[in-house]
Amino acid sequence: MSGCGGGSCGCGGGKGEGSVETLAPIAVARVNDVALHGAGEVLGEEELRQRAYGELLRQAAQRAGLLSASDPGPIDGVHSEAASEAIEALLAREIQLPEPDDAACRRYYEAHPQRFARGERVRAAHILLAVTPGVDVAALRAHAEGLLVRLRCEDEAAFAKAAAENSNCPSGEQGGGLGWLTREDCLPEVASVLFAQDEANRHMGVLPRLLSSRHGFHILRVDEREAGEVPSFEQVRGSVAALLRHQLSVTAMRQYLDLLAGQAQLQGVSLNQADTPLVQ
């Protein structure tokens, strides 16, 4: 499953003869007066945010003396090699994470034992509505959500028909069927849903929420589950610690970016902003 990847119309009111429509210029988004794109370039909201966060980090690296003030800045959102190295050095310096202790690891293991099960499998199907260049994402999501609501009330034959007609994954030709999957077979965001640890969310049939991944919107159906064997804490202590370190790093990175955004002048881009020190 990790390989899955990928008309509107409008009418206008009549205009008087000789009238000329004037298009407003596209505003250029900026971070501390540094442009994130060209004057005529239109970016998706997520890409714009990613460029803004990258520029916040690049400027922070310059302020910290880790990157030359003459760095040319990103081209089409891609940083120079020097900037990338400086940003890594900045993050290593600014984000110091405590090592998860044995008690914290054991608490997490006892709360989520099934997460570490070996051999757990699901037999699943999906419909992928891919986000491709130029697609109206809002309209695509609305279509996907409407399809999800309908399919929750339908049988497998209706799901297979909808997959053949709508899915941008090759599995659509087999009614969306993906066969038996382990956690390792799936994209992380898909695995987190198919192998959810909350027993109340370990649904069978069409899952009640639309899943958004790097490829687009997924409608997922679970047909069978096979429970795996849960190893002892001692066997997976290292995996538990690595998982907790990752969760801490994600939280710390988010806090740090929010702090940088709170100290910056932003134009044309909306970011979470904070004005309190980073919590280590």
Side-chain angles (χ1 to χ4, degrees), residues 216-279:
F217 303 111
H218 302 253
I219 298 172
L220 293 163
R221 189 188 75 220
V222 175
D223 298 321
E224 293 184 71
R225 291 186 183 274
E226 287 185 356
E229 180 181 349
V230 179
S232 68
F233 171 72
E234 287 70 23
Q235 290 175 294
V236 295
R237 179 13 175 127
S239 297
V240 178
L243 178 62
L244 292 183
R245 278 195 299 271
H246 173 69
Q247 292 179 346
L248 286 170
S249 68
V250 169
T251 300
M253 173 68 84
R254 192 174 295 128
Q255 290 176 345
Y256 185 55
L257 290 173
D258 291 350
L259 183 62
L260 291 179
Q263 297 169 346
Q265 292 184 334
L266 305 175
Q267 296 172 269
V269 59
S270 178
L271 302 176
N272 292 329
Q273 297 175 284
D275 55 9
T276 54
L278 182 66
V279 177

Side-chain angles (χ1 to χ4, degrees), residues 173-255:
E173 297 178 3
Q174 288 79 47
L178 298 168
W180 284 98
L181 302 169
T182 65
R183 184 183 294 273
E184 291 72 26
D185 294 326
C186 306
L187 294 169
E189 54 266 45
V190 176
S192 68
V193 174
L194 288 180
F195 297 91
Q197 297 313 300
D198 183 350
E199 196 64 32
N201 290 325
R202 294 172 63 81
H203 295 279
M204 298 290 291
V206 177
L207 303 192
R209 286 182 292 277
L210 199 64
L211 170 70
S212 176
S213 81
R214 69 196 72 172
H215 296 301
F217 303 111
H218 302 253
I219 298 172
L220 293 163
R221 189 188 75 220
V222 175
D223 298 321
E224 293 184 71
R225 291 186 183 274
E226 287 185 356
E229 180 181 349
V230 179
S232 68
F233 171 72
E234 287 70 23
Q235 290 175 294
V236 295
R237 179 13 175 127
S239 297
V240 178
L243 178 62
L244 292 183
R245 278 195 299 271
H246 173 69
Q247 292 179 346
L248 286 170
S249 68
V250 169
T251 300
M253 173 68 84
R254 192 174 295 128
Q255 290 176 345

Side-chain angles (χ1 to χ4, degrees), residues 32-107:
N32 293 325
D33 209 33
V34 174
L36 299 177
H37 57 86
E41 187 179 7
V42 180
L43 300 180
E45 186 176 339
E46 184 58 29
E47 183 178 0
L48 187 61
R49 281 199 298 265
Q50 291 305 316
R51 288 195 186 187
Y53 284 130
E55 182 58 26
L56 285 169
L57 289 169
R58 191 184 74 87
Q59 292 180 20
Q62 288 178 320
R63 291 194 298 271
L66 299 171
L67 179 65
S68 170
S70 63
D71 179 77
I75 299 175
D76 294 331
V78 179
H79 290 108
S80 67
E81 184 176 349
S84 296
E85 292 175 354
I87 288 171
E88 288 302 314
L90 173 75
L91 294 176
R93 190 180 77 177
E94 295 296 325
I95 301 178
Q96 301 293 323
L97 300 176
E99 185 68 18
D101 60 25
D102 194 73
C105 290
R106 190 175 291 277
R107 282 195 302 271

Side-chain angles (χ1 to χ4, degrees), residues 82-146:
S84 296
E85 292 175 354
I87 288 171
E88 288 302 314
L90 173 75
L91 294 176
R93 190 180 77 177
E94 295 296 325
I95 301 178
Q96 301 293 323
L97 300 176
E99 185 68 18
D101 60 25
D102 194 73
C105 290
R106 190 175 291 277
R107 282 195 302 271
Y108 188 89
Y109 168 82
E110 291 174 351
H112 309 279
Q114 199 62 34
R115 185 181 185 93
F116 305 97
R118 296 170 179 171
E120 184 180 14
R121 302 194 305 166
V122 298
R123 186 167 65 83
H126 84 151
I127 297 171
L128 169 65
L129 293 99
V131 174
T132 54
V135 72
D136 184 333
V137 177
L140 184 67
R141 178 188 285 275
H143 172 63
E145 290 177 341

Side-chain angles (χ1 to χ4, degrees), residues 126 159-177:
H126 84 151
F159 190 99
K161 183 174 184 294
E165 294 174 349
N166 294 274
S167 186
N168 299 118
C169 176
S171 65
E173 297 178 3
Q174 288 79 47

